[in-house]
């Protein structure tokens, strides 16, 4: 059973326990999240110039649109301002900056009516982040940059929090993906040829849960939660920010969601930086997760 909790008042440790069991948290806009939204909008609107970013897809060739995103998204990801704004968001939500580590934020786009659903604007099939070498203690934080509707957000498929799905994660190695596939996203137009972990049996999409936060509102869920991109029929391109978070105590103790079906190898933990000073995840901890993804299967 998945519960959607609005603005819960409990502390971060209690929140993580709820997330590991499959609950979803929703928070309203706050000063720190709105600062991140304002910064992101500035980059997006600068890139699109006089065009409205939400409707520009209707007036741009798809190749031109993909090329623009290929320049915009890395600029956002690696901008030093993000490394200042994200820790402020997490600290505002009660995370201990000395124990909390985050990965760089991603600027996601979901175009309408199948305009661009591959590569740089990949429309995600049902998946867990843990199929992509994320630790079982990873939590995902997601927020819209412009208003969203139920027709352009994401869907959760809660029955699979405790039920495995036959999938292709056994072929996924994080280091190999970074070496051969991550940087080819912009060239994947029309058909995405990269081998990504996908279900290898039918997935029942219903019942599903769709959460529609306000601009600057934050949705938080487990990286082990099965979720997918909703087919965008809104007529507008959706822009959102997401980033991943781990607590180092849970990394060290192997706490997290129960692993029901992930067989990938390698780990994304070396991408995480500490909120307080941007120090990397200790190598000795990352090394524990380098094998097949079974670490974190306890609570």
């Amino acid at each position: 059973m998945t519960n959607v909790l609005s603005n819960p008042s409990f502390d971060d440790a209690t929140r993580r326990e709820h997330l590991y069991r499959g609950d979803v948290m929703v928070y309203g806009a706050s000063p720190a999240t709105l600062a991140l939204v304002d910064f992101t909008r500035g980059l997006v609107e600068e890139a699109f110039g006089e065009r409205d970013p939400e409707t520009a897809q209707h007036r741009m060739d798809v190749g031109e649109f993909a090329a623009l995103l290929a320049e915009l998204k890395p600029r956002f990801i690696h901008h030093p301002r993000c490394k200042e704004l994200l820790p402020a968001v997490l600290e505002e939500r009660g995370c201990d900056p000395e124990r909390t580590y985050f990965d760089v934020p991603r600027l996601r786009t979901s175009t309408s009516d199948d305009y661009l659903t591959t590569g740089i604007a990949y429309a995600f099939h049902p998946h867990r982040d843990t199929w992509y070498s994320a630790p079982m203690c990873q939590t995902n934080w997601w927020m819209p940059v412009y208003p969203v509707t139920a027709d352009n957000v994401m869907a959760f498929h809660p029955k699979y929090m405790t039920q495995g799905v036959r999938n292709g994660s056994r072929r996924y190695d994080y280091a190999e993906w970074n070496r051969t596939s991550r940087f080819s996203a912009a060239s994947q137009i029309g058909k995405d040829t990269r081998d990504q972990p996908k279900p290898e049996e039918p997935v029942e999409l219903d019942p599903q849960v769709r959460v529609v936060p306000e601009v600057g509102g934050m949705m938080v869920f487990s990286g082990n939660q099965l979720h997918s991109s909703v087919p965008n029929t809104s007529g507008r391109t959706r822009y959102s920010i997401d980033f991943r978070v781990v607590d180092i105590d849970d990394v060290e103790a192997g706490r997290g969601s129960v692993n029901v079906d992930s067989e990938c190898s390698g780990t994304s933990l070396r991408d995480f930086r500490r909120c307080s000073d941007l120090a990397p995840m200790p190598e000795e901890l990352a090394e524990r997760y380098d094998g097949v993804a079974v670490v974190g299967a306890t609570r």
Side-chain angles (χ1 to χ4, degrees):
M1 176 176 171
T2 290
N3 301 302
V4 179
L5 306 177
S6 177
N7 289 309
S9 59
F10 39 66
D11 63 17
D12 182 51
T14 305
R15 173 171 56 216
R16 296 196 311 275
E17 284 299 317
H18 278 269
L19 295 171
Y20 298 156
R21 293 196 297 266
D23 289 345
V24 176
M25 312 289 156
V26 184
Y27 297 94
S30 64
T33 62
L34 290 175
L36 181 55
V37 165
D38 288 345
F39 168 73
T40 307
R41 283 188 174 185
L43 290 183
V44 171
E45 290 164 12
E46 178 184 2
F48 279 93
E50 296 182 356
R51 293 169 292 208
D52 180 345
E54 294 183 272
T55 59
Q57 68 166 87
H58 303 298
R59 300 190 300 277
M60 296 178 68
D61 173 79
V62 67
E64 180 188 8
F65 192 90
L68 187 152
L69 295 183
E71 189 282 328
L72 169 63
K73 290 189 173 185
R75 184 181 175 209
F76 171 81
I77 287 171
H78 300 295
H79 201 291
R81 182 68 174 137
C82 287
K83 294 181 177 66
E84 300 170 356
L85 292 168
L86 253 62
V89 169
L90 293 168
E91 192 164 0
E92 193 177 59
R93 289 292 166 227
C95 297
D96 183 340
E98 294 298 327
R99 294 168 40 218
T100 304
Y101 288 65
F102 67 93
D103 191 5
V104 292
R106 268 72 175 184
L107 176 63
R108 308 290 189 185
T109 49
S110 172
T111 61
S112 185
D113 303 301
D114 295 323
Y115 170 78
L116 178 62
T117 59
T118 58
I120 199 74
Y122 192 76
F124 274 97
H125 48 271
H127 70 286
R128 312 180 199 272
D129 282 23
T130 50
W131 291 353
Y132 293 76
S133 302
M136 292 292 160
C137 60
Q138 177 179 291
T139 59
N140 294 3
W141 299 59
W142 187 97
M143 59 187 294
V145 177
Y146 297 94
V148 291
T149 69
D151 295 326
N152 65 7
V153 288
M154 69 172 68
F156 298 106
H157 311 289
K159 69 174 286 185
Y160 293 102
M161 192 67 192
T162 56
Q163 178 178 321
V165 176
R166 190 169 66 250
N167 66 85
S169 64
R170 64 190 176 278
R171 296 188 301 274
Y172 187 87
D173 178 85
Y174 190 70
E176 182 66 13
W177 171 264
N178 283 337
R179 189 180 70 83
T180 62
S181 298
R182 166 173 281 183
F183 301 107
S184 64
S187 66
Q188 305 288 314
I189 298 175
K191 182 179 181 180
D192 202 314
T193 60
R194 297 172 297 172
D195 183 17
Q196 303 199 46
K198 297 180 176 67
E200 295 180 343
E201 64 177 326
V203 171
E204 295 179 14
L205 299 182
D206 294 311
Q208 62 179 254
V209 175
R210 300 185 185 185
V211 179
V212 186
E214 64 180 331
V215 171
M218 185 72 70
M219 177 168 60
V220 190
F221 58 98
S222 166
N224 201 39
Q225 183 85 249
L226 193 76
H227 59 289
S228 62
S229 299
V230 170
N232 187 346
T233 58
S234 68
R236 306 179 76 84
T237 298
R238 181 254 289 165
Y239 295 83
S240 58
I241 300 163
D242 63 67
F243 53 95
R244 286 95 170 106
V245 174
V246 297
D247 182 275
I248 195 169
D249 291 348
D250 287 354
V251 172
E252 188 161 19
R255 285 189 291 267
S257 293
V258 173
N259 181 7
V260 293
D261 58 17
S262 180
E263 300 177 274
C264 53
S265 57
T267 181
S268 62
L269 279 172
R270 293 180 180 86
D271 296 339
F272 288 76
R273 296 292 181 267
R274 186 163 57 193
C275 282
S276 61
D277 58 3
L278 305 182
M281 178 65 60
E283 176 60 22
E284 61 271 20
L285 291 183
E287 286 178 353
R288 297 184 193 175
Y289 288 73
D290 270 331
V292 175
V294 294
V295 179
T298 60
R299 287 182 181 153

